[in-house]
Amino acid sequence: MEVLSVASEIYPLIKTGGLADVAGALPGALGESGVTMRTLVPGYPAVTAKMSGGREVARFDDLFGVPARLIAGRVEGLDLIVLDAPSLYERPGNPYMGPEGWDWPDNWKRYAALSWVASELGLGLVEGYRPQVIHAHDWQAGLVPAYVKFGPSSNIKTVMTVHNMAFQGTFGAEIFAQLKLPAHAFSMEGVEYYGGVGYLKAGVECADVVTTVSPTYAAEIRTPEFGMGLEGLLNNRSTTVHGVLNGIDMNAWNPATDPALAQTYTAGTMQGRLVNKRAVQEAFGLEPLDGPLFAVVSRLTWQKGIDLLAANIELIVESGAQLAVLGSGDTELENAIRSAAKAHPGKVGLVTGYNEELSHLVQGGADVMMVPSRFEPCGLTQLYALRYGCVPLVSRVGGLNDTIIDANVAAIQAEVATGVQFAPPSETALADAIRRMLALYADVKSWKKMQRRGMKSDVSWETSANRYAQLYASLIGYSTDDSQDD
Ligand code: ADP
Ligand code: GLC
């Protein structure tokens, strides 16, 4: 079965967050399932730089007003089709924003072009290649199901995966005329959204199947609090929103072989983590203390509850613990952490910017990984933490709810706890969770057990890759067994 995945980022070529990790890992994870997955990605500089060995498979003189071509090739184990359109994608920095931190004003066109090309591939644009299913990720690929629905009739099926409801790709109605869609697509059954154009809305409305990245988030987004305007549409869809939990790439994230670690280790040689702890302390300007080292690796945003963390830094420091924060994002939140680091030299450290290697080292050396999110569709940092024996402290939302077993009395007695959860996402609930974590840390023997349990939990793609394979198969009639609805 041939599936075309459409994603605006893909690890290891271009990454701003978890979407890239998922887009990069899923094709390999589907390996044994009979699904062959190619991925269509925009030709950002970091991507085209790797395509020198690729071959041109299509050319457009006028793709949304600009010349473009498609280059197919195999890079870093991934089968890619790259949309090489320099005037759309050959730009510095982040895929979505200019150097000043503003969204590119033509983002509507950049991702409409990507989605339109995907639908053309579905119609057989490239000789010898005809995907049966197109899997669209997030708003950047949200128009794919609309182009398929309103395009020439075909057998192509579409899956829309929502990785984050907070990013919907909404634009003014004036762009509609340039989208290459028929007039009736500007309707409730199409791309129209509160009088404008909604890319994610279009995807959710027009796709054959909608999925999101955890069972809890699948339920949450049916409510106004988490649905962010799309809850009505989701509730009206007669079919299920499937919650398929993300896995992680077990090779890229393996403490036994990770080249980014100062010392590799396994569940049996966890004392090696101490060498990494010292390396983390050094990298963040912290004293080489033996107390608990809390860490955060995250976008510094309201979603991630970084303000809740900032409000609890005093508590962490007063308890004799340390804090290492790796991340960047909202200036105000960055500044709050920076002032705390200034106020508590050697105890609180901040490294800003994006640093993949350091993110691995932190997982391998810190004692506690904090993910105090207000909402979290799945979350990958807590999964990496489990694999690395870094105990997760998470809010009880979305995928954090589905992946961590809270160390409550029953879970401790049953010896199944893998971390600490708190709810609601508030300063005081986080403070309680920090205190609970400190008490757990003080009990050395059971702490080690909890770390080992985390390292043994199944955070691989195996189950979820099969779930996607089943969904694709059910769409094209390979199997009608869709009885495992979440
Ligand atoms: P989201 O996609 O919402 O940001 P996830 O937890 O799904 O959240 O994924 C975040 C990914 O980005 C993880 O792979 C995490 O390690 C990585 N990450 C976040 N911030 C940084 C950073 N400053 N440096 C390196 N990696 C980061
Ligand atoms: C989004 C979500 C995150 C999820 C990731 C990959 O960025 O915020 O929770 O893990 O997508 O699905």
Side-chain angles (χ1 to χ4, degrees):
M1 192 185 344
E2 283 280 353
V3 178
L4 176 66
S5 170
V6 186
S8 58
E9 42 186 280
I10 189 162
Y11 179 84
L13 301 183
I14 177 100
K15 167 169 166 180
T16 71
L19 167 62
D21 289 350
V22 172
L26 184 57
L30 285 163
E32 306 291 295
S33 68
V35 175
T36 307
M37 179 171 273
R38 284 189 175 190
T39 310
L40 174 68
V41 282
Y44 311 116
V47 176
T48 49
K50 298 266 183 167
M51 293 305 289
S52 51
R55 73 194 165 88
E56 183 180 305
V57 292
R59 186 178 272 270
F60 308 89
D61 295 330
D62 177 3
L63 175 70
F64 287 79
V66 305
R69 56 196 192 126
L70 287 181
I71 308 173
R74 198 168 164 82
V75 181
E76 311 266 7
L78 296 163
D79 272 323
L80 299 183
I81 302 176
V82 172
L83 178 53
D84 181 27
S87 47
L88 296 179
Y89 307 121
E90 191 87 20
R91 300 179 189 180
N94 180 301
Y96 318 117
M97 284 187 258
E100 312 293 316
W102 298 103
D103 285 352
W104 295 114
D106 58 350
N107 273 349
W108 67 269
K109 190 197 291 184
R110 301 170 74 224
Y111 296 106
L114 182 75
S115 301
W116 183 82
V117 166
S119 69
E120 290 292 300
L121 284 165
L123 292 171
L125 172 71
V126 172
E127 213 185 304
Y129 178 62
R130 193 142 194 167
Q132 293 143 296
V133 177
I134 308 185
H135 188 162
H137 296 275
D138 270 353
W139 74 265
Q140 294 88 347
L143 286 187
V144 173
Y147 284 126
V148 170
K149 175 173 171 176
F150 295 101
S153 108
S154 72
N155 291 328
I156 194 94
K157 299 292 181 191
T158 53
V159 175
M160 179 78 231
T161 294
V162 178
H163 293 264
N164 197 330
M165 272 297 180
F167 304 107
Q168 299 193 357
T170 50
F171 303 97
E174 69 282 357
I175 69 160
F176 178 75
Q178 297 177 68
L179 287 182
K180 296 179 188 275
L181 282 164
H184 66 280
F186 191 74
S187 61
M188 265 172 61
E189 293 73 36
V191 304
E192 189 275 333
Y193 191 44
Y194 293 114
V197 174
Y199 282 29
L200 188 63
K201 182 266 171 172
V204 168
E205 171 70 39
C206 300
D208 294 299
V209 163
V210 178
T211 78
T212 187
V213 287
S214 71
T216 297
Y217 196 58
E220 287 171 343
I221 56 179
R222 292 180 181 278
T223 67
E225 191 188 348
F226 295 94
M228 305 196 169
L230 284 177
E231 63 278 3
L233 175 56
L234 290 171
N235 285 322
N236 284 341
R237 271 192 69 108
S238 51
T239 52
T240 324
V241 174
H242 301 266
V244 185
L245 206 55
N246 291 331
I248 69 170
D249 181 331
M250 300 290 273
N251 296 320
W253 293 90
N254 182 357
T257 57
D258 193 332
L261 297 183
Q263 172 78 60
T264 55
Y265 59 93
T266 63
T269 58
M270 259 197 316
Q271 61 282 9
R273 297 190 91 258
L274 185 59
V275 179
N276 296 319
K277 184 167 178 171
R278 294 287 179 256
V280 173
Q281 286 166 327
E282 199 181 324
F284 286 80
L286 302 175
E287 293 163 18
L289 303 177
D290 288 329
L293 174 58
F294 287 70
V296 171
V297 178
S298 180
R299 294 186 281 120
L300 303 180
T301 64
W302 184 85
Q303 173 194 342
K304 300 291 181 179
I306 301 301
D307 53 319
L308 309 180
L309 164 76
N312 274 294
I313 293 183
E314 291 291 326
L315 170 65
I316 292 175
V317 175
E318 278 164 17
S319 315
Q322 292 174 303
L323 175 68
V325 179
L326 168 61
S328 54
D330 298 352
T331 317
E332 223 172 276
L333 294 171
E334 251 182 66
N335 286 341
I337 310 282
R338 193 170 288 117
S339 340
K342 270 208 185 112
H344 305 287
K347 304 286 190 296
V348 178
L350 168 69
V351 174
T352 51
Y354 194 87
N355 188 332
E356 187 74 23
E357 287 198 354
L358 187 55
S359 75
H360 285 237
L361 181 64
V362 172
Q363 295 282 11
D367 299 298
V368 177
M369 181 56 59
M370 303 177 80
V371 193
S373 306
R374 287 199 167 77
F375 63 94
E376 196 59 73
C378 177
L380 295 174
T381 34
Q382 84 281 9
L383 301 180
Y384 300 137
L386 287 173
R387 174 110 165 118
Y388 279 64
C390 183
V391 179
L393 188 169
V394 305
S395 52
R396 191 178 296 123
V397 291
L400 301 173
N401 179 47
D402 295 322
T403 55
I404 303 301
I405 301 177
D406 178 52
N408 61 29
V409 177
I412 289 173
Q413 271 176 13
E415 302 207 331
V416 293
T418 56
V420 165
Q421 290 182 329
F422 69 96
S426 68
E427 287 175 28
T428 47
L430 175 57
D432 287 344
I434 291 170
R435 289 192 195 96
R436 281 173 59 209
M437 194 57 111
L438 290 166
L440 290 164
Y441 183 83
D443 182 348
V444 178
K445 232 172 140 187
S446 47
W447 180 263
K448 284 203 173 123
K449 277 193 188 164
M450 187 153 74
Q451 285 180 296
R452 290 213 177 89
R453 218 174 283 135
M455 291 182 81
K456 286 183 182 146
S457 5
D458 182 9
V459 288
S460 77
W461 265 106
E462 203 178 318
T463 310
S464 295
N466 282 332
R467 188 79 190 95
Y468 279 121
Q470 270 176 22
L471 277 176
Y472 305 143
S474 68
L475 279 174
I476 60 172
Y478 271 28
S479 146
T480 49
D481 175 20
D482 203 17
S483 53
Q484 294 179 27
D485 279 354
D486 314 292

